[in-house]
Amino acid sequence: MGKVTGFMEFQRVGETYEAPVARKKHYKEFILSLSNDEAKTQGARCMDCGIPFCNNGCPVNNIIPDWNDLVYRGAYHEALETLHSTNNFPEFTGRICPAPCESACTLGINSDPVGIKSIEHFIVDKGWENGWIVPQPPLVKTGKKVAVVGSGPAGLAAAQQLARIGHDVTVFEKSDRVGGLLRYGIPDFKMEKSHIDRRVEQMEAEGVTFRTGVLVGKDFPANVNNWAKKTIAPDELKAEFDAVVIAGGAEQPRDLPVPGRELKGVHFAMDFLPQQNKVNAGDKVKDQILAGGKHVVVIGGGDTGSDCVGTSNRQGAVSIQQFELMPQPPELENKPLVWPYWPTKLRTSSSHEEGCDRDWAVATKRLEGKNGKVEKLIAARVEWKDGKMQEVPDSEFEMKADLVFLAMGFVSPVAQVLEAFGVDKDARGNAKATTDGDACYKTSVDKVFAAGDMRRGQSLVVWAIREGRQCARAVDEFLMGASVLPR
Ligand SMILES: Cc1cc2nc3c(=O)[nH]c(=O)nc-3n(C[C@H](O)[C@H](O)[C@H](O)COP(=O)(O)OP(=O)(O)OC[C@H]3O[C@@H](n4cnc5c(N)ncnc54)[C@H](O)[C@@H]3O)c2cc1C
Ligand code: SF4
């Protein structure tokens, strides 16, 4: 519980960020973890509220009050063990989780919430620094073989849990490197990729085999990244493995069907972001999409759009404008109304702080250009009445645009992958499977399970880790009749 009077004595102190001018010059992480003293007083702010809503607010149910207390007492190794008991990859979430736990913190009702995410970051970094994070190979092998399709956080969490309990796990990934959107989506300045490499090493030592550059299935849409050099038919996997987990994410991007969409210079965010991550990894990218010297317009106000802003700034864009269709949310939430839930409020990311103009309730009407290349975007203001969007009369305006990034979210998993496996889809086009009951995470096809964005639709890394862990238990129960893996 930290210190009894800690929440009255200590103010919240956040992590330190390198200044925007300096950090825009590179692609490295720029957040400095808390010092030992800072972590101690931040942990001390946890006030033993009785019912730790934070633990429910966290999708992996991190046992937050316990590790807050352990950090306050300097018991870092125990804090790490507690953290790892619910989360395979706290160095990912400690960096890029939006921290719904903090919205649920009881102290947050009338004060600043405990800086839970920064404490998580501190604990796991301490673990790596001190060499406490080592492979945990199984003591006994079961002789059962499991295939995991997709190496994002859901696939990785499922694979690690299944390998540690003794199954032979092979992860199939169509990209050239492991990590899913952690690798080729989330920019390096939010999370450096060495964190993934370290976990891959650990998992290999625990017995996981990674096969990259392999697409499971056959047909794949041209507008989704696919660097596979080889394909494997789902039937082959089903024949060779005792169970298959499909964790292929929700990669089908939402398009913008307006006149001029076909012009050069109009790209999906996921055409742009992975290229820079590849270059950072030392690859050569032919005809890289570059924002340097250009007027950039980002359509879509979420995380992906914000990552386009940060990357465009680092590439030297002349101007960056981000548009969002929905109205501007309030600066502050109405706490008594929304606590302990995740509130709708204005969120300014570190990429926004580095420079960009944002505008809300704006709909793009068309894109225009010369010689097949985009030059301007024509938009109009909209308002929402009775849940319906209406254009504000005489509100049309235009804006210079040399590059337009479409970052309006993802509609579903790639349908062809689900169809190749023959699994039923839900109403939103995701793999149909429940998360509770005897058949949890099971698809309509025998011995095929689904987890992460492929099952729940576009979501968060922490939800993917939760689903990967829970799916691993379901697979283990299916293979062995019972499981000691956590629910
Ligand atoms: C640009 C961007 C930024 C984001 N930022 C954040 C953030 O800051 N914080 C946060 O919590 N969440 C963020 N998200 C969301 C988060 O990344 C996802 O919710 C999460 O990665 C989903 O994990 P997953 O394992 O289900 O799928 P993914 O990470 O999408 O991984 C799926 C993997 O499966 C592979 N695959 C798919 N089909 C096949 C096939 N047929 N054969 C072989 N391999 C296949 C894909 O290549 C991919 O590597 C962001 C998303 C994007 C796009
Ligand atoms: S994983 Fe996310 S929600 Fe859970 S404790 Fe960490 S920051 Fe909070």
Side-chain angles (χ1 to χ4, degrees), residues 138-158:
L139 297 174
V140 182
K141 296 289 274 185
T142 62
K144 304 278 185 193
K145 291 172 73 180
V146 184
V148 175
V149 179
S151 68
L156 290 179

Side-chain angles (χ1 to χ4, degrees), residues 322-367:
Q322 188 177 18
F323 287 127
E324 167 58 47
L325 190 62
M326 301 304 286
Q328 180 171 352
E331 297 234 346
L332 288 176
E333 71 269 43
N334 184 344
K335 200 65 121 181
L337 199 68
V338 294
W339 183 90
Y341 298 109
W342 179 247
T344 302
K345 67 173 179 181
L346 182 64
R347 293 179 197 275
T348 300
S349 72
S350 57
S351 290
H352 294 135
E353 282 167 0
E354 290 161 7
C356 86
D357 289 318
R358 286 193 283 170
D359 205 346
W360 287 264
V362 170
T364 303
K365 294 187 76 177
R366 60 188 183 279
L367 300 157

Side-chain angles (χ1 to χ4, degrees), residues 246 418 421-425 431-433 439 441-450:
I246 50 171
L418 299 183
F421 274 93
V423 302
D424 286 352
K425 294 182 225 161
K432 193 172 176 183
Y441 293 95
K442 270 188 190 154
T443 67
S444 56
V445 174
D446 184 36
K447 71 181 188 183
V448 178
F449 295 73

Side-chain angles (χ1 to χ4, degrees), residues 181 224 250-254 268-270 304 406-413 430 453 457-459:
L181 289 173
V224 177
E251 296 191 289
Q252 195 64 61
R254 182 167 286 113
F268 283 120
M270 284 301 291
T304 307
L406 308 179
M408 299 165 300
F410 299 84
V411 281
S412 68
N430 303 321
D453 282 9
Q458 176 195 0
S459 186

Side-chain angles (χ1 to χ4, degrees), residues 58-60 62 64 67 87 93 97 99-101 116-117 120 462:
C58 168
V60 289
N62 273 339
I64 297 161
W67 41 257
N87 187 350
T93 46
C97 185
C101 54
I116 299 167
K117 177 179 166 184
E120 179 175 19
V462 64

Side-chain angles (χ1 to χ4, degrees), residues 59 61 435 440-441 465-475 486-487:
N61 303 120
T435 54
C440 65
Y441 293 95
I465 295 173
R466 170 197 170 108
E467 294 220 346
R469 288 171 64 84
Q470 292 188 338
C471 180
R473 181 188 160 98
V475 171
R487 257 175 228 280

